[in-house]
Amino acid sequence: MAPRIADMPQDFEASLCLPSTKALASASSNSSCSSYTEARHLAVVGIMFTAQTLLGVGGVPIQPFGISYIDDFSHNSNSPLYLGILFAVTMMGPGMAYGLGSLMLRLYVDIDRMPEGGINLTSKDPRWVGAWWLGFLISAGAVALAAIPYFFFPKEMPKEKQELRFRRKGLAVSDPPVSKGEDSSSEQNPADSPEKKDNLAQIAPDLTVIQFIKVFPRVLLRTLRHPIFLLVVLSQVCMSSMAAGMATFLPKFLERQFSVTASYANLLIGCLTIPLAIVGIVVGGILVKRLRLGPVHCGTLCLLSALCCLVLSTPLFFMGCSSHQIAGISHQPGAQPGLELFPGCMESCSCPSDDFNPVCDSSSRVEYITPCHAGCRSRVVQEAPDKSQVFYTNCSCVAGGGPVPAGSCDSACGHLVLPFMILVSLGAALASVTHTPSFMLILRGVKKEDKTLAVGIQFMLMRVLAWMPSPVIHGSAIDTTCVYWAHSCGRQAVCHYYDHDLLRNRFIGLQFFFKTGSLACFALILAILRQQDKEERTKATIPNPGLQQQLLASEAKKEPEESRV
């Protein structure tokens, strides 16, 4: 929770090395544990859940129904490119959101209650909380404006003429030839027979709600028994789990591992990772369209992209550094012993156990939880035109008595943040190349009448198996790397310090695990597709007696014509 602006002078005063009586009075005045506050927090969480539910319901007409619509009413050769454009434009939203978040997080959370002289906190201070709520207001207004054109869409969208002509020609070829004595109207309108109407109905079914409920279990079982469909969905679940964990916790990981601000972390993701992921999606669609890739070649493309993505993620395990020394919490072999440098340096201080206002002794690279733990008895505010900097002096636990600046120590490997993000972004681009080909494997693998429902089931499984549990899994893994928890109202609250090596290995390890799972699924898909292709070729080489008779009859008819010529 962000400190209230009105309480900041008291917070700075309470963080100093004070006698026991003053410290007890300050601690009692800052008590804010009440059932009313907890109930208010639960109400806010309920509002957030409701808003996310409405957002999910509103996105259904675009994905998954929009995907099935594009494939139904566009030409087969154009469908991959259209889907690639749809996915790429969809990815622009998170990119713009990260950019907007980067701007909003530079503003303090209580933007409407800022004092005239500003506050003595910078964006690098661990207690800084940006104006996260402002991005929600701007995004909600943009979504409301973007929804207005949907009210003016026609009841039926126009079909792509080339595709409709292709499908009707395919239906005409599948029917027996019409004799000359039949009515000419049947020749002019080949789609009027009941059988052809049934075929057209299968292409674009129009079921009522009752009919849909009756047919749903049968179609669901038929779709789930499809091996290619199941494996493609599992591969996309692994990719989505990786993306969900990365989107949720990558900014936090960059903040802790490389000592960058939340604003800069969001800016890196929005300017590097998201644009390269968009490029990957478009490239995947273009490759499927230009090269006219069949199912086997789509599977090969997905397998190669997943393999390259896995290879690029391997160096990430080694791009980072260990945690710096924190007095009273961690001790590195060979490092200066912090509080042990001056035994009893803070015995006269009564430091509150739940306070957190870190200071950094840059000469020894030792961080103290509060100025009180460093034995600091006074503070100095250095004014500047753009921002003010707080320093603490008369510190009995610091060589020379200070001054020490407020804020955590910078990471020793901050220079690795750009190479790290370049590798992450390239991996995201390669993973995104699989997006369109994997969707084409589903759209071309299931029956046409099951296409919309299959895509809907796919999105449902991705939400349930990936986007819901993956942030929980990543968050639980990150929590196991915490070395110092803060407590609020007698309960564990927020983690202030992590073991950087464990954090890197477990976060990147989870990403590596999901990428390996996706690679294994694509390998199985390619093996099944090659086996099916081999069986089809074997059937094609077996002579068909009925077909041979038709060929002989056609050759017999051609002989008199050639003699006349």
Side-chain angles (χ1 to χ4, degrees):
M1 182 185 297
R4 292 181 300 171
I5 292 175
D7 295 338
M8 281 188 180
Q10 290 84 349
D11 290 342
F12 283 121
E13 188 72 21
S15 297
L16 297 175
C17 180
L18 301 174
S20 300
T21 54
K22 288 186 179 181
L24 290 174
S26 176
S28 62
S29 64
N30 286 337
S31 178
S32 61
C33 298
S34 65
S35 58
Y36 170 73
T37 303
E38 186 174 355
R40 190 170 56 179
H41 291 171
L42 290 176
V44 172
V45 171
I47 293 173
M48 293 289 290
F49 273 120
T50 305
Q52 291 292 334
T53 303
L54 293 175
L55 190 64
V57 173
V60 169
I62 301 173
Q63 291 188 17
F65 291 162
I67 297 171
S68 179
Y69 168 79
I70 289 175
D71 190 65
D72 278 337
F73 301 108
S74 63
H75 193 268
N76 284 345
S77 61
N78 296 331
S79 180
L81 181 61
Y82 293 161
L83 290 179
I85 293 173
L86 173 66
F87 296 140
V89 173
T90 305
M91 284 293 294
M92 289 182 185
M96 296 171 65
Y98 276 113
L100 180 64
S102 175
L103 294 176
M104 297 301 106
L105 291 177
R106 296 179 184 179
L107 306 174
Y108 194 67
V109 61
D110 293 327
I111 189 174
D112 55 335
R113 290 180 288 178
M114 293 286 288
E116 292 183 2
I119 57 174
N120 294 323
L121 283 179
T122 64
S123 58
K124 296 197 71 172
D125 195 298
R127 297 173 298 167
W128 175 275
V129 178
W132 57 269
W133 54 272
L134 198 55
F136 280 96
L137 292 181
I138 297 173
S139 299
V143 169
L145 291 175
I148 293 176
Y150 283 91
F151 290 100
F152 304 97
F153 273 43
K155 192 173 182 179
E156 290 186 5
M157 298 292 288
K159 303 176 183 179
E160 197 167 28
K161 294 180 180 180
Q162 189 178 2
E163 168 71 357
L164 185 61
R165 196 162 53 243
F166 171 79
R167 290 188 176 185
R168 292 192 180 276
K169 190 181 295 184
L171 291 174
V173 170
S174 63
D175 287 329
V178 182
S179 62
K180 293 182 179 180
E182 290 182 355
D183 186 29
S184 60
S185 61
S186 63
E187 287 184 348
Q188 295 174 357
N189 194 3
D192 286 342
S193 65
E195 189 175 344
K196 293 170 189 176
K197 286 183 179 179
D198 291 340
N199 289 334
L200 286 174
Q202 287 181 357
I203 292 174
D206 188 12
L207 300 178
T208 63
V209 177
I210 304 299
Q211 291 172 335
F212 174 78
I213 293 174
K214 288 180 180 179
V215 80
F216 177 76
R218 186 169 66 253
V219 177
L220 178 63
L221 291 175
R222 184 170 64 207
T223 305
L224 292 178
R225 284 200 300 263
H226 199 293
I228 300 297
F229 175 82
L230 269 182
L231 287 172
V232 170
V233 170
L234 286 177
S235 67
Q236 290 188 340
V237 164
C238 291
M239 285 291 185
S240 298
S241 299
M242 177 199 68
M246 190 75 74
T248 307
F249 292 105
L250 183 58
K252 182 184 183 74
F253 178 84
L254 296 177
E255 290 178 55
R256 298 294 179 173
Q257 194 70 225
F258 303 108
S259 298
V260 299
T261 63
S263 173
Y264 185 61
N266 284 320
L267 186 65
L268 285 175
I269 298 172
C271 293
L272 277 177
T273 309
I274 301 298
L276 283 178
I278 293 173
V279 171
I281 292 175
V282 175
V283 167
I286 292 175
L287 288 176
V288 175
K289 175 180 169 58
R290 292 295 182 187
L291 303 180
R292 297 183 179 179
L293 301 181
V296 176
H297 293 96
C298 283
T300 305
L301 176 62
C302 292
L303 181 64
L304 291 176
S305 300
L307 180 61
C308 294
C309 177
L310 189 67
V311 171
L312 279 179
S313 64
T314 304
L316 300 180
F317 285 100
F318 310 101
M319 299 181 69
C321 50
S322 302
S323 305
H324 55 268
Q325 187 181 2
I326 304 163
I329 296 177
S330 63
H331 176 69
Q332 295 176 345
Q336 218 168 5
L339 291 176
E340 299 172 6
L341 182 64
F342 302 102
C345 62
M346 50 171 288
E347 284 184 356
S348 60
C349 307
S350 182
C351 302
S353 59
D354 58 347
D355 195 11
F356 183 69
N357 180 18
V359 294
C360 177
D361 181 8
S362 56
S363 60
S364 60
R365 285 194 56 78
V366 177
E367 185 171 327
Y368 299 87
I369 300 174
T370 64
C372 180
H373 288 80
C376 301
R377 300 179 182 276
S378 60
R379 71 184 183 96
V380 177
V381 180
Q382 183 178 352
E383 299 292 341
D386 52 347
K387 59 182 178 180
S388 57
Q389 178 69 44
V390 178
F391 291 90
Y392 293 91
T393 57
N394 299 326
C395 303
S396 57
C397 298
V398 178
V404 291
S408 297
C409 296
D410 290 334
S411 174
C413 53
H415 60 283
L416 294 176
V417 62
L418 282 179
F420 182 90
M421 285 303 299
I422 289 173
L423 284 179
V424 169
S425 302
L426 290 175
L430 288 170
S432 300
V433 171
T434 68
H435 205 65
T436 303
S438 60
F439 267 98
M440 297 310 298
L441 287 174
I442 290 178
L443 296 175
R444 297 292 179 264
V446 300
K447 295 183 177 180
K448 289 187 180 293
E449 62 268 24
D450 299 343
K451 192 184 303 180
T452 302
L453 189 59
V455 177
I457 294 170
Q458 174 199 11
F459 271 80
M460 179 191 71
L461 293 176
M462 287 170 59
R463 297 290 193 274
V464 173
L465 300 179
W467 290 99
M468 289 176 61
S470 178
V472 178
I473 294 171
H474 281 80
S476 301
I478 289 173
D479 284 345
T480 60
T481 67
C482 183
V483 295
Y484 180 71
W485 286 96
H487 290 80
S488 177
C489 302
R491 290 181 296 183
Q492 189 172 280
V494 65
C495 180
H496 286 315
Y497 295 109
Y498 295 90
D499 186 326
H500 287 181
D501 290 331
L502 276 179
L503 174 64
R504 182 175 65 256
N505 291 332
R506 293 184 182 177
F507 180 73
I508 302 300
L510 272 176
Q511 298 285 305
F512 195 87
F513 170 76
F514 287 123
K515 292 175 183 178
T516 305
S518 179
L519 179 67
C521 290
F522 283 130
L524 290 175
I525 289 169
L526 185 59
I528 294 174
L529 288 174
R530 284 184 172 177
Q531 183 63 29
Q532 291 177 353
D533 189 57
K534 185 178 179 180
E535 291 176 357
E536 289 179 0
R537 290 181 179 178
T538 305
K539 290 180 181 179
T541 56
I542 297 175
N544 189 344
L547 183 61
Q548 286 183 351
Q549 292 178 2
Q550 291 179 5
L551 291 174
L552 291 173
S554 61
E555 289 177 359
K557 290 180 180 179
K558 288 180 181 179
E559 287 180 359
E561 294 179 359
E562 292 175 356
S563 62
R564 285 199 299 271
V565 172

